[in-house]
PDB file of all heavy atoms in Angstrom:
ATOM      1  N   VAL B 146      57.898  37.443 -92.245  1.00 93.00           N
ATOM      2  CA  VAL B 146      56.841  36.453 -91.952  1.00 93.00           C
ATOM      3  C   VAL B 146      57.251  35.609 -90.746  1.00 93.00           C
ATOM      4  O   VAL B 146      56.458  35.344 -89.844  1.00 93.00           O
ATOM      5  CB  VAL B 146      56.568  35.561 -93.190  1.00 93.00           C
ATOM      6  CG1 VAL B 146      55.624  34.427 -92.836  1.00 93.00           C
ATOM      7  CG2 VAL B 146      55.984  36.390 -94.323  1.00 93.00           C
ATOM      8  N   ALA B 147      58.553  35.198 -90.738  1.00 90.00           N
ATOM      9  CA  ALA B 147      59.054  34.390 -89.613  1.00 90.00           C
ATOM     10  C   ALA B 147      58.885  35.139 -88.302  1.00 90.00           C
ATOM     11  O   ALA B 147      58.509  34.556 -87.274  1.00 90.00           O
ATOM     12  CB  ALA B 147      60.525  34.041 -89.841  1.00 90.00           C
ATOM     13  N   ALA B 148      59.165  36.448 -88.335  1.00 91.00           N
ATOM     14  CA  ALA B 148      59.026  37.253 -87.119  1.00 91.00           C
ATOM     15  C   ALA B 148      57.563  37.263 -86.658  1.00 91.00           C
ATOM     16  O   ALA B 148      57.282  37.159 -85.457  1.00 91.00           O
ATOM     17  CB  ALA B 148      59.513  38.673 -87.385  1.00 91.00           C
ATOM     18  N   GLY B 149      56.653  37.379 -87.619  1.00 92.00           N
ATOM     19  CA  GLY B 149      55.221  37.356 -87.286  1.00 92.00           C
ATOM     20  C   GLY B 149      54.818  36.025 -86.675  1.00 92.00           C
ATOM     21  O   GLY B 149      54.104  35.986 -85.659  1.00 92.00           O
ATOM     22  N   VAL B 150      55.291  34.951 -87.263  1.00 92.00           N
ATOM     23  CA  VAL B 150      54.980  33.605 -86.755  1.00 92.00           C
ATOM     24  C   VAL B 150      55.501  33.457 -85.327  1.00 92.00           C
ATOM     25  O   VAL B 150      54.798  32.963 -84.431  1.00 92.00           O
ATOM     26  CB  VAL B 150      55.601  32.524 -87.673  1.00 92.00           C
ATOM     27  CG1 VAL B 150      55.540  31.150 -87.024  1.00 92.00           C
ATOM     28  CG2 VAL B 150      54.880  32.505 -89.015  1.00 92.00           C
ATOM     29  N   ALA B 151      56.730  33.928 -85.110  1.00 88.00           N
ATOM     30  CA  ALA B 151      57.316  33.817 -83.771  1.00 88.00           C
ATOM     31  C   ALA B 151      56.509  34.619 -82.761  1.00 88.00           C
ATOM     32  O   ALA B 151      56.280  34.168 -81.634  1.00 88.00           O
ATOM     33  CB  ALA B 151      58.764  34.302 -83.803  1.00 88.00           C
ATOM     34  N   ALA B 152      56.068  35.801 -83.168  1.00 88.00           N
ATOM     35  CA  ALA B 152      55.301  36.653 -82.263  1.00 88.00           C
ATOM     36  C   ALA B 152      54.007  35.950 -81.838  1.00 88.00           C
ATOM     37  O   ALA B 152      53.669  35.927 -80.644  1.00 88.00           O
ATOM     38  CB  ALA B 152      54.997  37.985 -82.939  1.00 88.00           C
ATOM     39  N   VAL B 153      53.320  35.363 -82.809  1.00 91.00           N
ATOM     40  CA  VAL B 153      52.060  34.668 -82.506  1.00 91.00           C
ATOM     41  C   VAL B 153      52.329  33.475 -81.582  1.00 91.00           C
ATOM     42  O   VAL B 153      51.614  33.245 -80.595  1.00 91.00           O
ATOM     43  CB  VAL B 153      51.386  34.194 -83.824  1.00 91.00           C
ATOM     44  CG1 VAL B 153      50.200  33.295 -83.525  1.00 91.00           C
ATOM     45  CG2 VAL B 153      50.960  35.389 -84.656  1.00 91.00           C
ATOM     46  N   LEU B 154      53.397  32.758 -81.906  1.00 90.00           N
ATOM     47  CA  LEU B 154      53.742  31.566 -81.110  1.00 90.00           C
ATOM     48  C   LEU B 154      54.058  31.940 -79.662  1.00 90.00           C
ATOM     49  O   LEU B 154      53.582  31.297 -78.715  1.00 90.00           O
ATOM     50  CB  LEU B 154      54.949  30.861 -81.763  1.00 90.00           C
ATOM     51  CG  LEU B 154      55.248  29.452 -81.313  1.00 90.00           C
ATOM     52  CD1 LEU B 154      54.111  28.515 -81.670  1.00 90.00           C
ATOM     53  CD2 LEU B 154      56.540  28.950 -81.965  1.00 90.00           C
ATOM     54  N   VAL B 155      54.861  32.978 -79.503  1.00 83.00           N
ATOM     55  CA  VAL B 155      55.250  33.405 -78.153  1.00 83.00           C
ATOM     56  C   VAL B 155      54.026  33.855 -77.364  1.00 83.00           C
ATOM     57  O   VAL B 155      53.843  33.472 -76.198  1.00 83.00           O
ATOM     58  CB  VAL B 155      56.282  34.554 -78.233  1.00 83.00           C
ATOM     59  CG1 VAL B 155      56.477  35.190 -76.867  1.00 83.00           C
ATOM     60  CG2 VAL B 155      57.600  34.010 -78.728  1.00 83.00           C
ATOM     61  N   ALA B 156      53.184  34.646 -78.003  1.00 86.00           N
ATOM     62  CA  ALA B 156      51.986  35.133 -77.313  1.00 86.00           C
ATOM     63  C   ALA B 156      51.124  33.948 -76.875  1.00 86.00           C
ATOM     64  O   ALA B 156      50.656  33.899 -75.723  1.00 86.00           O
ATOM     65  CB  ALA B 156      51.206  36.053 -78.245  1.00 86.00           C
ATOM     66  N   THR B 157      50.936  32.993 -77.766  1.00 89.00           N
ATOM     67  CA  THR B 157      50.115  31.819 -77.453  1.00 89.00           C
ATOM     68  C   THR B 157      50.707  31.039 -76.281  1.00 89.00           C
ATOM     69  O   THR B 157      49.994  30.666 -75.335  1.00 89.00           O
ATOM     70  CB  THR B 157      50.008  30.895 -78.690  1.00 89.00           C
ATOM     71  OG1 THR B 157      49.687  31.692 -79.812  1.00 89.00           O
ATOM     72  CG2 THR B 157      48.967  29.814 -78.508  1.00 89.00           C
ATOM     73  N   LEU B 158      52.011  30.795 -76.349  1.00 85.00           N
ATOM     74  CA  LEU B 158      52.656  30.001 -75.295  1.00 85.00           C
ATOM     75  C   LEU B 158      52.637  30.732 -73.952  1.00 85.00           C
ATOM     76  O   LEU B 158      52.405  30.121 -72.907  1.00 85.00           O
ATOM     77  CB  LEU B 158      54.099  29.662 -75.686  1.00 85.00           C
ATOM     78  CG  LEU B 158      54.266  28.684 -76.851  1.00 85.00           C
ATOM     79  CD1 LEU B 158      55.729  28.521 -77.214  1.00 85.00           C
ATOM     80  CD2 LEU B 158      53.661  27.329 -76.516  1.00 85.00           C
ATOM     81  N   ALA B 159      52.870  32.053 -74.001  1.00 80.00           N
ATOM     82  CA  ALA B 159      52.881  32.828 -72.750  1.00 80.00           C
ATOM     83  C   ALA B 159      51.504  32.768 -72.095  1.00 80.00           C
ATOM     84  O   ALA B 159      51.390  32.555 -70.880  1.00 80.00           O
ATOM     85  CB  ALA B 159      53.282  34.265 -73.043  1.00 80.00           C
ATOM     86  N   LEU B 160      50.476  32.926 -72.908  1.00 87.00           N
ATOM     87  CA  LEU B 160      49.106  32.863 -72.373  1.00 87.00           C
ATOM     88  C   LEU B 160      48.808  31.466 -71.834  1.00 87.00           C
ATOM     89  O   LEU B 160      48.207  31.305 -70.775  1.00 87.00           O
ATOM     90  CB  LEU B 160      48.095  33.227 -73.472  1.00 87.00           C
ATOM     91  CG  LEU B 160      48.126  34.693 -73.947  1.00 87.00           C
ATOM     92  CD1 LEU B 160      47.224  34.891 -75.161  1.00 87.00           C
ATOM     93  CD2 LEU B 160      47.684  35.615 -72.803  1.00 87.00           C
ATOM     94  N   PHE B 161      49.253  30.464 -72.573  1.00 85.00           N
ATOM     95  CA  PHE B 161      49.040  29.066 -72.190  1.00 85.00           C
ATOM     96  C   PHE B 161      49.654  28.772 -70.818  1.00 85.00           C
ATOM     97  O   PHE B 161      49.020  28.197 -69.933  1.00 85.00           O
ATOM     98  CB  PHE B 161      49.640  28.171 -73.281  1.00 85.00           C
ATOM     99  CG  PHE B 161      49.630  26.709 -72.972  1.00 85.00           C
ATOM    100  CD1 PHE B 161      48.438  25.985 -72.999  1.00 85.00           C
ATOM    101  CD2 PHE B 161      50.806  26.032 -72.671  1.00 85.00           C
ATOM    102  CE1 PHE B 161      48.433  24.625 -72.726  1.00 85.00           C
ATOM    103  CE2 PHE B 161      50.807  24.679 -72.399  1.00 85.00           C
ATOM    104  CZ  PHE B 161      49.616  23.978 -72.421  1.00 85.00           C
ATOM    105  N   PHE B 162      50.889  29.209 -70.633  1.00 80.00           N
ATOM    106  CA  PHE B 162      51.580  28.938 -69.367  1.00 80.00           C
ATOM    107  C   PHE B 162      50.975  29.734 -68.210  1.00 80.00           C
ATOM    108  O   PHE B 162      50.904  29.272 -67.085  1.00 80.00           O
ATOM    109  CB  PHE B 162      53.072  29.296 -69.475  1.00 80.00           C
ATOM    110  CG  PHE B 162      53.906  28.143 -69.946  1.00 80.00           C
ATOM    111  CD1 PHE B 162      54.446  28.127 -71.213  1.00 80.00           C
ATOM    112  CD2 PHE B 162      54.145  27.061 -69.127  1.00 80.00           C
ATOM    113  CE1 PHE B 162      55.210  27.066 -71.648  1.00 80.00           C
ATOM    114  CE2 PHE B 162      54.909  25.992 -69.548  1.00 80.00           C
ATOM    115  CZ  PHE B 162      55.443  25.995 -70.823  1.00 80.00           C
ATOM    116  N   GLN B 163      50.557  30.970 -68.522  1.00 83.00           N
ATOM    117  CA  GLN B 163      50.138  31.872 -67.465  1.00 83.00           C
ATOM    118  C   GLN B 163      48.696  31.635 -67.023  1.00 83.00           C
ATOM    119  O   GLN B 163      48.391  31.705 -65.842  1.00 83.00           O
ATOM    120  CB  GLN B 163      50.312  33.314 -67.969  1.00 83.00           C
ATOM    121  CG  GLN B 163      50.559  34.330 -66.866  1.00 83.00           C
ATOM    122  CD  GLN B 163      51.885  34.072 -66.140  1.00 83.00           C
ATOM    123  OE1 GLN B 163      52.863  33.668 -66.754  1.00 83.00           O
ATOM    124  NE2 GLN B 163      51.895  34.248 -64.821  1.00 83.00           N
ATOM    125  N   TYR B 164      47.833  31.363 -67.982  1.00 89.00           N
ATOM    126  CA  TYR B 164      46.407  31.436 -67.663  1.00 89.00           C
ATOM    127  C   TYR B 164      45.632  30.115 -67.775  1.00 89.00           C
ATOM    128  O   TYR B 164      44.447  30.090 -67.508  1.00 89.00           O
ATOM    129  CB  TYR B 164      45.733  32.499 -68.543  1.00 89.00           C
ATOM    130  CG  TYR B 164      46.284  33.881 -68.296  1.00 89.00           C
ATOM    131  CD1 TYR B 164      47.083  34.509 -69.250  1.00 89.00           C
ATOM    132  CD2 TYR B 164      46.021  34.543 -67.093  1.00 89.00           C
ATOM    133  CE1 TYR B 164      47.613  35.768 -69.014  1.00 89.00           C
ATOM    134  CE2 TYR B 164      46.553  35.811 -66.861  1.00 89.00           C
ATOM    135  CZ  TYR B 164      47.344  36.413 -67.821  1.00 89.00           C
ATOM    136  OH  TYR B 164      47.872  37.643 -67.577  1.00 89.00           O
ATOM    137  N   THR B 165      46.265  29.037 -68.200  1.00 89.00           N
ATOM    138  CA  THR B 165      45.494  27.787 -68.284  1.00 89.00           C
ATOM    139  C   THR B 165      45.862  26.867 -67.125  1.00 89.00           C
ATOM    140  O   THR B 165      46.949  26.992 -66.539  1.00 89.00           O
ATOM    141  CB  THR B 165      45.775  27.039 -69.614  1.00 89.00           C
ATOM    142  OG1 THR B 165      47.139  26.642 -69.607  1.00 89.00           O
ATOM    143  CG2 THR B 165      45.491  27.907 -70.825  1.00 89.00           C
ATOM    144  N   ARG B 166      44.945  25.936 -66.820  1.00 87.00           N
ATOM    145  CA  ARG B 166      45.203  24.987 -65.733  1.00 87.00           C
ATOM    146  C   ARG B 166      46.412  24.128 -66.055  1.00 87.00           C
ATOM    147  O   ARG B 166      47.266  23.874 -65.220  1.00 87.00           O
ATOM    148  CB  ARG B 166      43.978  24.080 -65.544  1.00 87.00           C
ATOM    149  CG  ARG B 166      42.955  24.669 -64.580  1.00 87.00           C
ATOM    150  CD  ARG B 166      41.880  23.657 -64.275  1.00 87.00           C
ATOM    151  NE  ARG B 166      42.380  22.565 -63.464  1.00 87.00           N
ATOM    152  CZ  ARG B 166      41.870  21.338 -63.473  1.00 87.00           C
ATOM    153  NH1 ARG B 166      40.871  21.044 -64.276  1.00 87.00           N
ATOM    154  NH2 ARG B 166      42.351  20.404 -62.698  1.00 87.00           N
ATOM    155  N   ILE B 167      46.437  23.683 -67.310  1.00 85.00           N
ATOM    156  CA  ILE B 167      47.563  22.827 -67.711  1.00 85.00           C
ATOM    157  C   ILE B 167      48.868  23.601 -67.601  1.00 85.00           C
ATOM    158  O   ILE B 167      49.879  23.087 -67.127  1.00 85.00           O
ATOM    159  CB  ILE B 167      47.358  22.306 -69.153  1.00 85.00           C
ATOM    160  CG1 ILE B 167      46.145  21.381 -69.205  1.00 85.00           C
ATOM    161  CG2 ILE B 167      48.593  21.567 -69.666  1.00 85.00           C
ATOM    162  CD1 ILE B 167      45.761  20.917 -70.599  1.00 85.00           C
ATOM    163  N   GLY B 168      48.827  24.875 -68.030  1.00 84.00           N
ATOM    164  CA  GLY B 168      50.030  25.713 -67.953  1.00 84.00           C
ATOM    165  C   GLY B 168      50.524  25.814 -66.524  1.00 84.00           C
ATOM    166  O   GLY B 168      51.721  25.676 -66.254  1.00 84.00           O
ATOM    167  N   ARG B 169      49.602  26.043 -65.597  1.00 86.00           N
ATOM    168  CA  ARG B 169      50.004  26.153 -64.178  1.00 86.00           C
ATOM    169  C   ARG B 169      50.532  24.812 -63.669  1.00 86.00           C
ATOM    170  O   ARG B 169      51.501  24.750 -62.914  1.00 86.00           O
ATOM    171  CB  ARG B 169      48.828  26.646 -63.332  1.00 86.00           C
ATOM    172  CG  ARG B 169      48.618  28.167 -63.446  1.00 86.00           C
ATOM    173  CD  ARG B 169      47.709  28.678 -62.336  1.00 86.00           C
ATOM    174  NE  ARG B 169      46.333  28.241 -62.515  1.00 86.00           N
ATOM    175  CZ  ARG B 169      45.430  28.900 -63.236  1.00 86.00           C
ATOM    176  NH1 ARG B 169      45.774  30.030 -63.830  1.00 86.00           N
ATOM    177  NH2 ARG B 169      44.207  28.452 -63.365  1.00 86.00           N
ATOM    178  N   ALA B 170      49.894  23.748 -64.112  1.00 86.00           N
ATOM    179  CA  ALA B 170      50.356  22.408 -63.709  1.00 86.00           C
ATOM    180  C   ALA B 170      51.767  22.151 -64.239  1.00 86.00           C
ATOM    181  O   ALA B 170      52.613  21.592 -63.535  1.00 86.00           O
ATOM    182  CB  ALA B 170      49.387  21.346 -64.247  1.00 86.00           C
ATOM    183  N   LEU B 171      52.003  22.609 -65.460  1.00 82.00           N
ATOM    184  CA  LEU B 171      53.337  22.445 -66.048  1.00 82.00           C
ATOM    185  C   LEU B 171      54.386  23.139 -65.195  1.00 82.00           C
ATOM    186  O   LEU B 171      55.464  22.590 -64.930  1.00 82.00           O
ATOM    187  CB  LEU B 171      53.372  23.061 -67.456  1.00 82.00           C
ATOM    188  CG  LEU B 171      52.658  22.329 -68.592  1.00 82.00           C
ATOM    189  CD1 LEU B 171      52.664  23.166 -69.853  1.00 82.00           C
ATOM    190  CD2 LEU B 171      53.330  21.001 -68.866  1.00 82.00           C
ATOM    191  N   ARG B 172      54.044  24.326 -64.746  1.00 79.00           N
ATOM    192  CA  ARG B 172      55.011  25.084 -63.946  1.00 79.00           C
ATOM    193  C   ARG B 172      55.235  24.407 -62.595  1.00 79.00           C
ATOM    194  O   ARG B 172      56.355  24.376 -62.076  1.00 79.00           O
ATOM    195  CB  ARG B 172      54.528  26.522 -63.757  1.00 79.00           C
ATOM    196  CG  ARG B 172      54.727  27.326 -65.053  1.00 79.00           C
ATOM    197  CD  ARG B 172      53.848  28.552 -65.133  1.00 79.00           C
ATOM    198  NE  ARG B 172      54.082  29.479 -64.040  1.00 79.00           N
ATOM    199  CZ  ARG B 172      53.202  30.409 -63.668  1.00 79.00           C
ATOM    200  NH1 ARG B 172      52.040  30.490 -64.266  1.00 79.00           N
ATOM    201  NH2 ARG B 172      53.482  31.224 -62.700  1.00 79.00           N
ATOM    202  N   ALA B 173      54.176  23.845 -62.053  1.00 83.00           N
ATOM    203  CA  ALA B 173      54.309  23.151 -60.762  1.00 83.00           C
ATOM    204  C   ALA B 173      55.208  21.924 -60.896  1.00 83.00           C
ATOM    205  O   ALA B 173      56.075  21.671 -60.059  1.00 83.00           O
ATOM    206  CB  ALA B 173      52.926  22.728 -60.275  1.00 83.00           C
TER     207      ALA B 173
END
Side-chain angles (χ1 to χ4, degrees):
Chain B
V146 172
V150 168
V153 171
L154 195 64
V155 168
T157 312
L158 291 175
L160 292 172
F161 174 73
F162 270 108
Q163 207 64 36
Y164 297 109
T165 65
R166 272 188 70 207
I167 295 174
R169 281 195 290 272
L171 287 173
R172 285 159 59 200

